[in-house]
PDB file of all heavy atoms in Angstrom:
ATOM      1  N   PRO A 108       3.653   5.265 -22.610  1.00 89.00           N
ATOM      2  CA  PRO A 108       2.337   5.462 -21.971  1.00 89.00           C
ATOM      3  C   PRO A 108       1.919   4.336 -21.041  1.00 89.00           C
ATOM      4  O   PRO A 108       1.139   4.563 -20.113  1.00 89.00           O
ATOM      5  CB  PRO A 108       1.390   5.564 -23.180  1.00 89.00           C
ATOM      6  CG  PRO A 108       2.248   5.965 -24.323  1.00 89.00           C
ATOM      7  CD  PRO A 108       3.571   5.315 -24.074  1.00 89.00           C
ATOM      8  N   THR A 109       2.414   3.125 -21.276  1.00 90.00           N
ATOM      9  CA  THR A 109       2.021   2.015 -20.412  1.00 90.00           C
ATOM     10  C   THR A 109       2.548   2.200 -18.989  1.00 90.00           C
ATOM     11  O   THR A 109       2.046   1.555 -18.057  1.00 90.00           O
ATOM     12  CB  THR A 109       2.529   0.665 -20.965  1.00 90.00           C
ATOM     13  OG1 THR A 109       3.960   0.698 -21.069  1.00 90.00           O
ATOM     14  CG2 THR A 109       1.936   0.388 -22.343  1.00 90.00           C
ATOM     15  N   LYS A 110       3.544   3.067 -18.816  1.00 90.00           N
ATOM     16  CA  LYS A 110       4.077   3.314 -17.483  1.00 90.00           C
ATOM     17  C   LYS A 110       3.065   4.062 -16.598  1.00 90.00           C
ATOM     18  O   LYS A 110       3.223   4.095 -15.379  1.00 90.00           O
ATOM     19  CB  LYS A 110       5.379   4.109 -17.579  1.00 90.00           C
ATOM     20  CG  LYS A 110       6.522   3.326 -18.222  1.00 90.00           C
ATOM     21  CD  LYS A 110       6.867   2.092 -17.390  1.00 90.00           C
ATOM     22  CE  LYS A 110       7.965   1.254 -18.044  1.00 90.00           C
ATOM     23  NZ  LYS A 110       9.255   1.933 -18.051  1.00 90.00           N
ATOM     24  N   VAL A 111       2.049   4.664 -17.212  1.00 91.00           N
ATOM     25  CA  VAL A 111       1.003   5.319 -16.418  1.00 91.00           C
ATOM     26  C   VAL A 111       0.267   4.263 -15.592  1.00 91.00           C
ATOM     27  O   VAL A 111       0.048   4.431 -14.384  1.00 91.00           O
ATOM     28  CB  VAL A 111       0.009   6.079 -17.322  1.00 91.00           C
ATOM     29  CG1 VAL A 111      -1.149   6.641 -16.498  1.00 91.00           C
ATOM     30  CG2 VAL A 111       0.721   7.199 -18.062  1.00 91.00           C
ATOM     31  N   ALA A 112      -0.106   3.165 -16.245  1.00 91.00           N
ATOM     32  CA  ALA A 112      -0.781   2.082 -15.531  1.00 91.00           C
ATOM     33  C   ALA A 112       0.143   1.457 -14.490  1.00 91.00           C
ATOM     34  O   ALA A 112      -0.290   1.121 -13.382  1.00 91.00           O
ATOM     35  CB  ALA A 112      -1.254   1.021 -16.523  1.00 91.00           C
ATOM     36  N   LEU A 113       1.416   1.318 -14.836  1.00 90.00           N
ATOM     37  CA  LEU A 113       2.382   0.767 -13.879  1.00 90.00           C
ATOM     38  C   LEU A 113       2.504   1.662 -12.655  1.00 90.00           C
ATOM     39  O   LEU A 113       2.556   1.177 -11.516  1.00 90.00           O
ATOM     40  CB  LEU A 113       3.744   0.602 -14.545  1.00 90.00           C
ATOM     41  CG  LEU A 113       4.881   0.090 -13.652  1.00 90.00           C
ATOM     42  CD1 LEU A 113       4.550  -1.286 -13.102  1.00 90.00           C
ATOM     43  CD2 LEU A 113       6.199   0.057 -14.413  1.00 90.00           C
ATOM     44  N   ALA A 114       2.533   2.971 -12.873  1.00 89.00           N
ATOM     45  CA  ALA A 114       2.618   3.916 -11.748  1.00 89.00           C
ATOM     46  C   ALA A 114       1.398   3.808 -10.847  1.00 89.00           C
ATOM     47  O   ALA A 114       1.508   3.878  -9.615  1.00 89.00           O
ATOM     48  CB  ALA A 114       2.766   5.338 -12.275  1.00 89.00           C
ATOM     49  N   ILE A 115       0.236   3.609 -11.441  1.00 90.00           N
ATOM     50  CA  ILE A 115      -0.993   3.465 -10.652  1.00 90.00           C
ATOM     51  C   ILE A 115      -0.935   2.190  -9.823  1.00 90.00           C
ATOM     52  O   ILE A 115      -1.296   2.171  -8.635  1.00 90.00           O
ATOM     53  CB  ILE A 115      -2.233   3.460 -11.571  1.00 90.00           C
ATOM     54  CG1 ILE A 115      -2.406   4.835 -12.215  1.00 90.00           C
ATOM     55  CG2 ILE A 115      -3.489   3.075 -10.784  1.00 90.00           C
ATOM     56  CD1 ILE A 115      -3.520   4.891 -13.236  1.00 90.00           C
ATOM     57  N   ARG A 116      -0.449   1.102 -10.423  1.00 91.00           N
ATOM     58  CA  ARG A 116      -0.338  -0.159  -9.674  1.00 91.00           C
ATOM     59  C   ARG A 116       0.645  -0.032  -8.521  1.00 91.00           C
ATOM     60  O   ARG A 116       0.395  -0.542  -7.417  1.00 91.00           O
ATOM     61  CB  ARG A 116       0.087  -1.295 -10.618  1.00 91.00           C
ATOM     62  CG  ARG A 116      -0.966  -1.696 -11.631  1.00 91.00           C
ATOM     63  CD  ARG A 116      -0.698  -3.098 -12.175  1.00 91.00           C
ATOM     64  NE  ARG A 116       0.579  -3.160 -12.860  1.00 91.00           N
ATOM     65  CZ  ARG A 116       0.750  -2.902 -14.165  1.00 91.00           C
ATOM     66  NH1 ARG A 116      -0.286  -2.528 -14.891  1.00 91.00           N
ATOM     67  NH2 ARG A 116       1.930  -3.003 -14.722  1.00 91.00           N
ATOM     68  N   ILE A 117       1.763   0.634  -8.766  1.00 90.00           N
ATOM     69  CA  ILE A 117       2.747   0.842  -7.702  1.00 90.00           C
ATOM     70  C   ILE A 117       2.146   1.675  -6.570  1.00 90.00           C
ATOM     71  O   ILE A 117       2.329   1.361  -5.387  1.00 90.00           O
ATOM     72  CB  ILE A 117       4.004   1.522  -8.260  1.00 90.00           C
ATOM     73  CG1 ILE A 117       4.759   0.570  -9.185  1.00 90.00           C
ATOM     74  CG2 ILE A 117       4.926   1.979  -7.131  1.00 90.00           C
ATOM     75  CD1 ILE A 117       5.933   1.199  -9.897  1.00 90.00           C
ATOM     76  N   ALA A 118       1.428   2.726  -6.934  1.00 90.00           N
ATOM     77  CA  ALA A 118       0.822   3.596  -5.918  1.00 90.00           C
ATOM     78  C   ALA A 118      -0.210   2.840  -5.089  1.00 90.00           C
ATOM     79  O   ALA A 118      -0.247   2.959  -3.851  1.00 90.00           O
ATOM     80  CB  ALA A 118       0.179   4.805  -6.591  1.00 90.00           C
ATOM     81  N   ARG A 119      -1.043   2.053  -5.751  1.00 91.00           N
ATOM     82  CA  ARG A 119      -2.061   1.289  -5.027  1.00 91.00           C
ATOM     83  C   ARG A 119      -1.425   0.249  -4.110  1.00 91.00           C
ATOM     84  O   ARG A 119      -1.868   0.057  -2.973  1.00 91.00           O
ATOM     85  CB  ARG A 119      -3.003   0.609  -6.021  1.00 91.00           C
ATOM     86  CG  ARG A 119      -3.934   1.585  -6.745  1.00 91.00           C
ATOM     87  CD  ARG A 119      -4.837   0.853  -7.717  1.00 91.00           C
ATOM     88  NE  ARG A 119      -5.787   1.770  -8.325  1.00 91.00           N
ATOM     89  CZ  ARG A 119      -6.681   1.405  -9.259  1.00 91.00           C
ATOM     90  NH1 ARG A 119      -6.730   0.143  -9.651  1.00 91.00           N
ATOM     91  NH2 ARG A 119      -7.500   2.298  -9.772  1.00 91.00           N
ATOM     92  N   ARG A 120      -0.394  -0.420  -4.593  1.00 92.00           N
ATOM     93  CA  ARG A 120       0.301  -1.418  -3.770  1.00 92.00           C
ATOM     94  C   ARG A 120       0.957  -0.754  -2.567  1.00 92.00           C
ATOM     95  O   ARG A 120       0.897  -1.282  -1.438  1.00 92.00           O
ATOM     96  CB  ARG A 120       1.344  -2.137  -4.624  1.00 92.00           C
ATOM     97  CG  ARG A 120       2.181  -3.170  -3.884  1.00 92.00           C
ATOM     98  CD  ARG A 120       3.161  -3.820  -4.841  1.00 92.00           C
ATOM     99  NE  ARG A 120       4.150  -4.633  -4.162  1.00 92.00           N
ATOM    100  CZ  ARG A 120       3.971  -5.891  -3.789  1.00 92.00           C
ATOM    101  NH1 ARG A 120       2.818  -6.483  -4.031  1.00 92.00           N
ATOM    102  NH2 ARG A 120       4.927  -6.559  -3.186  1.00 92.00           N
ATOM    103  N   THR A 121       1.567   0.410  -2.786  1.00 93.00           N
ATOM    104  CA  THR A 121       2.225   1.122  -1.688  1.00 93.00           C
ATOM    105  C   THR A 121       1.220   1.538  -0.623  1.00 93.00           C
ATOM    106  O   THR A 121       1.464   1.377   0.583  1.00 93.00           O
ATOM    107  CB  THR A 121       2.958   2.359  -2.229  1.00 93.00           C
ATOM    108  OG1 THR A 121       3.923   1.959  -3.208  1.00 93.00           O
ATOM    109  CG2 THR A 121       3.668   3.104  -1.116  1.00 93.00           C
ATOM    110  N   LEU A 122       0.072   2.062  -1.053  1.00 94.00           N
ATOM    111  CA  LEU A 122      -0.960   2.464  -0.094  1.00 94.00           C
ATOM    112  C   LEU A 122      -1.509   1.260   0.665  1.00 94.00           C
ATOM    113  O   LEU A 122      -1.782   1.352   1.870  1.00 94.00           O
ATOM    114  CB  LEU A 122      -2.099   3.182  -0.831  1.00 94.00           C
ATOM    115  CG  LEU A 122      -1.810   4.611  -1.291  1.00 94.00           C
ATOM    116  CD1 LEU A 122      -2.972   5.142  -2.121  1.00 94.00           C
ATOM    117  CD2 LEU A 122      -1.569   5.518  -0.096  1.00 94.00           C
ATOM    118  N   ARG A 123      -1.662   0.142  -0.040  1.00 95.00           N
ATOM    119  CA  ARG A 123      -2.177  -1.059   0.616  1.00 95.00           C
ATOM    120  C   ARG A 123      -1.223  -1.542   1.700  1.00 95.00           C
ATOM    121  O   ARG A 123      -1.649  -1.896   2.817  1.00 95.00           O
ATOM    122  CB  ARG A 123      -2.404  -2.142  -0.440  1.00 95.00           C
ATOM    123  CG  ARG A 123      -3.051  -3.412   0.108  1.00 95.00           C
ATOM    124  CD  ARG A 123      -3.568  -4.304  -1.004  1.00 95.00           C
ATOM    125  NE  ARG A 123      -2.500  -4.693  -1.919  1.00 95.00           N
ATOM    126  CZ  ARG A 123      -2.395  -4.274  -3.171  1.00 95.00           C
ATOM    127  NH1 ARG A 123      -3.280  -3.404  -3.656  1.00 95.00           N
ATOM    128  NH2 ARG A 123      -1.407  -4.690  -3.943  1.00 95.00           N
ATOM    129  N   ILE A 124       0.065  -1.545   1.399  1.00 95.00           N
ATOM    130  CA  ILE A 124       1.065  -1.969   2.389  1.00 95.00           C
ATOM    131  C   ILE A 124       1.135  -0.984   3.550  1.00 95.00           C
ATOM    132  O   ILE A 124       1.283  -1.377   4.716  1.00 95.00           O
ATOM    133  CB  ILE A 124       2.438  -2.122   1.705  1.00 95.00           C
ATOM    134  CG1 ILE A 124       2.409  -3.317   0.746  1.00 95.00           C
ATOM    135  CG2 ILE A 124       3.550  -2.301   2.745  1.00 95.00           C
ATOM    136  CD1 ILE A 124       3.671  -3.499  -0.063  1.00 95.00           C
ATOM    137  N   ALA A 125       1.023   0.309   3.249  1.00 95.00           N
ATOM    138  CA  ALA A 125       1.043   1.320   4.315  1.00 95.00           C
ATOM    139  C   ALA A 125      -0.138   1.138   5.261  1.00 95.00           C
ATOM    140  O   ALA A 125       0.014   1.239   6.490  1.00 95.00           O
ATOM    141  CB  ALA A 125       1.033   2.723   3.707  1.00 95.00           C
ATOM    142  N   ARG A 126      -1.305   0.840   4.704  1.00 96.00           N
ATOM    143  CA  ARG A 126      -2.485   0.608   5.551  1.00 96.00           C
ATOM    144  C   ARG A 126      -2.298  -0.639   6.408  1.00 96.00           C
ATOM    145  O   ARG A 126      -2.700  -0.672   7.585  1.00 96.00           O
ATOM    146  CB  ARG A 126      -3.730   0.479   4.680  1.00 96.00           C
ATOM    147  CG  ARG A 126      -4.139   1.772   3.975  1.00 96.00           C
ATOM    148  CD  ARG A 126      -5.521   1.640   3.362  1.00 96.00           C
ATOM    149  NE  ARG A 126      -5.884   2.831   2.617  1.00 96.00           N
ATOM    150  CZ  ARG A 126      -5.835   2.927   1.298  1.00 96.00           C
ATOM    151  NH1 ARG A 126      -5.431   1.898   0.569  1.00 96.00           N
ATOM    152  NH2 ARG A 126      -6.188   4.042   0.693  1.00 96.00           N
ATOM    153  N   GLN A 127      -1.703  -1.676   5.814  1.00 95.00           N
ATOM    154  CA  GLN A 127      -1.435  -2.888   6.590  1.00 95.00           C
ATOM    155  C   GLN A 127      -0.537  -2.587   7.786  1.00 95.00           C
ATOM    156  O   GLN A 127      -0.794  -3.059   8.909  1.00 95.00           O
ATOM    157  CB  GLN A 127      -0.760  -3.932   5.688  1.00 95.00           C
ATOM    158  CG  GLN A 127      -1.650  -4.498   4.602  1.00 95.00           C
ATOM    159  CD  GLN A 127      -0.875  -5.382   3.635  1.00 95.00           C
ATOM    160  OE1 GLN A 127       0.337  -5.556   3.774  1.00 95.00           O
ATOM    161  NE2 GLN A 127      -1.574  -5.947   2.655  1.00 95.00           N
ATOM    162  N   ASN A 128       0.503  -1.791   7.566  1.00 96.00           N
ATOM    163  CA  ASN A 128       1.425  -1.447   8.646  1.00 96.00           C
ATOM    164  C   ASN A 128       0.739  -0.645   9.737  1.00 96.00           C
ATOM    165  O   ASN A 128       0.984  -0.856  10.931  1.00 96.00           O
ATOM    166  CB  ASN A 128       2.613  -0.657   8.095  1.00 96.00           C
ATOM    167  CG  ASN A 128       3.601  -1.548   7.352  1.00 96.00           C
ATOM    168  OD1 ASN A 128       3.578  -2.762   7.498  1.00 96.00           O
ATOM    169  ND2 ASN A 128       4.465  -0.952   6.553  1.00 96.00           N
ATOM    170  N   VAL A 129      -0.104   0.299   9.328  1.00 95.00           N
ATOM    171  CA  VAL A 129      -0.805   1.135  10.315  1.00 95.00           C
ATOM    172  C   VAL A 129      -1.734   0.285  11.178  1.00 95.00           C
ATOM    173  O   VAL A 129      -1.742   0.380  12.417  1.00 95.00           O
ATOM    174  CB  VAL A 129      -1.590   2.260   9.610  1.00 95.00           C
ATOM    175  CG1 VAL A 129      -2.523   2.961  10.598  1.00 95.00           C
ATOM    176  CG2 VAL A 129      -0.635   3.269   8.995  1.00 95.00           C
ATOM    177  N   VAL A 130      -2.523  -0.556  10.526  1.00 96.00           N
ATOM    178  CA  VAL A 130      -3.471  -1.397  11.262  1.00 96.00           C
ATOM    179  C   VAL A 130      -2.728  -2.366  12.178  1.00 96.00           C
ATOM    180  O   VAL A 130      -3.096  -2.549  13.351  1.00 96.00           O
ATOM    181  CB  VAL A 130      -4.372  -2.171  10.279  1.00 96.00           C
ATOM    182  CG1 VAL A 130      -5.214  -3.209  11.029  1.00 96.00           C
ATOM    183  CG2 VAL A 130      -5.269  -1.203   9.519  1.00 96.00           C
ATOM    184  N   PHE A 131      -1.663  -2.972  11.669  1.00 95.00           N
ATOM    185  CA  PHE A 131      -0.895  -3.928  12.469  1.00 95.00           C
ATOM    186  C   PHE A 131      -0.248  -3.254  13.672  1.00 95.00           C
ATOM    187  O   PHE A 131      -0.350  -3.747  14.809  1.00 95.00           O
ATOM    188  CB  PHE A 131       0.179  -4.581  11.581  1.00 95.00           C
ATOM    189  CG  PHE A 131       1.114  -5.474  12.332  1.00 95.00           C
ATOM    190  CD1 PHE A 131       0.697  -6.716  12.800  1.00 95.00           C
ATOM    191  CD2 PHE A 131       2.421  -5.082  12.590  1.00 95.00           C
ATOM    192  CE1 PHE A 131       1.557  -7.540  13.502  1.00 95.00           C
ATOM    193  CE2 PHE A 131       3.292  -5.897  13.286  1.00 95.00           C
ATOM    194  CZ  PHE A 131       2.859  -7.134  13.744  1.00 95.00           C
ATOM    195  N   ALA A 132       0.410  -2.110  13.445  1.00 94.00           N
ATOM    196  CA  ALA A 132       1.120  -1.429  14.528  1.00 94.00           C
ATOM    197  C   ALA A 132       0.167  -0.950  15.612  1.00 94.00           C
ATOM    198  O   ALA A 132       0.391  -1.182  16.807  1.00 94.00           O
ATOM    199  CB  ALA A 132       1.925  -0.258  13.971  1.00 94.00           C
ATOM    200  N   ILE A 133      -0.903  -0.294  15.199  1.00 95.00           N
ATOM    201  CA  ILE A 133      -1.858   0.219  16.187  1.00 95.00           C
ATOM    202  C   ILE A 133      -2.563  -0.932  16.901  1.00 95.00           C
ATOM    203  O   ILE A 133      -2.789  -0.885  18.127  1.00 95.00           O
ATOM    204  CB  ILE A 133      -2.876   1.144  15.506  1.00 95.00           C
ATOM    205  CG1 ILE A 133      -2.183   2.408  14.995  1.00 95.00           C
ATOM    206  CG2 ILE A 133      -3.999   1.515  16.481  1.00 95.00           C
ATOM    207  CD1 ILE A 133      -3.094   3.364  14.264  1.00 95.00           C
ATOM    208  N   GLY A 134      -2.906  -1.982  16.157  1.00 95.00           N
ATOM    209  CA  GLY A 134      -3.598  -3.125  16.760  1.00 95.00           C
ATOM    210  C   GLY A 134      -2.757  -3.797  17.837  1.00 95.00           C
ATOM    211  O   GLY A 134      -3.255  -4.101  18.932  1.00 95.00           O
ATOM    212  N   ILE A 135      -1.467  -4.033  17.548  1.00 94.00           N
ATOM    213  CA  ILE A 135      -0.591  -4.671  18.533  1.00 94.00           C
ATOM    214  C   ILE A 135      -0.415  -3.802  19.771  1.00 94.00           C
ATOM    215  O   ILE A 135      -0.457  -4.278  20.917  1.00 94.00           O
ATOM    216  CB  ILE A 135       0.780  -4.992  17.901  1.00 94.00           C
ATOM    217  CG1 ILE A 135       0.643  -6.066  16.824  1.00 94.00           C
ATOM    218  CG2 ILE A 135       1.778  -5.434  18.969  1.00 94.00           C
ATOM    219  CD1 ILE A 135       0.156  -7.404  17.329  1.00 94.00           C
ATOM    220  N   LYS A 136      -0.216  -2.493  19.554  1.00 93.00           N
ATOM    221  CA  LYS A 136      -0.026  -1.584  20.700  1.00 93.00           C
ATOM    222  C   LYS A 136      -1.273  -1.523  21.569  1.00 93.00           C
ATOM    223  O   LYS A 136      -1.196  -1.521  22.810  1.00 93.00           O
ATOM    224  CB  LYS A 136       0.345  -0.192  20.198  1.00 93.00           C
ATOM    225  CG  LYS A 136       1.743  -0.126  19.568  1.00 93.00           C
ATOM    226  CD  LYS A 136       2.071   1.275  19.091  1.00 93.00           C
ATOM    227  CE  LYS A 136       3.420   1.311  18.386  1.00 93.00           C
ATOM    228  NZ  LYS A 136       4.544   0.973  19.285  1.00 93.00           N
ATOM    229  N   LEU A 137      -2.446  -1.480  20.939  1.00 94.00           N
ATOM    230  CA  LEU A 137      -3.687  -1.462  21.723  1.00 94.00           C
ATOM    231  C   LEU A 137      -3.858  -2.773  22.495  1.00 94.00           C
ATOM    232  O   LEU A 137      -4.330  -2.766  23.644  1.00 94.00           O
ATOM    233  CB  LEU A 137      -4.887  -1.238  20.801  1.00 94.00           C
ATOM    234  CG  LEU A 137      -5.027   0.165  20.200  1.00 94.00           C
ATOM    235  CD1 LEU A 137      -6.214   0.206  19.241  1.00 94.00           C
ATOM    236  CD2 LEU A 137      -5.208   1.207  21.299  1.00 94.00           C
TER     237      LEU A 137
END
């Protein structure tokens, strides 16, 4: 059951990194 919390942490970290990439890529191009 503790893997549920681990999965949530992985998902949140992945989304955070994805947002960083989007902001960085669009910002540089603009």
Side-chain angles (χ1 to χ4, degrees):
T109 59
K110 293 298 177 68
V111 174
L113 177 61
I115 293 174
R116 291 200 298 271
I117 291 174
R119 289 180 176 178
R120 178 179 169 84
T121 301
L122 285 174
R123 185 166 59 249
I124 291 175
R126 292 191 184 102
Q127 292 172 359
N128 285 343
V129 169
V130 171
F131 174 73
I133 293 178
I135 293 297
K136 291 180 184 296
L137 289 176

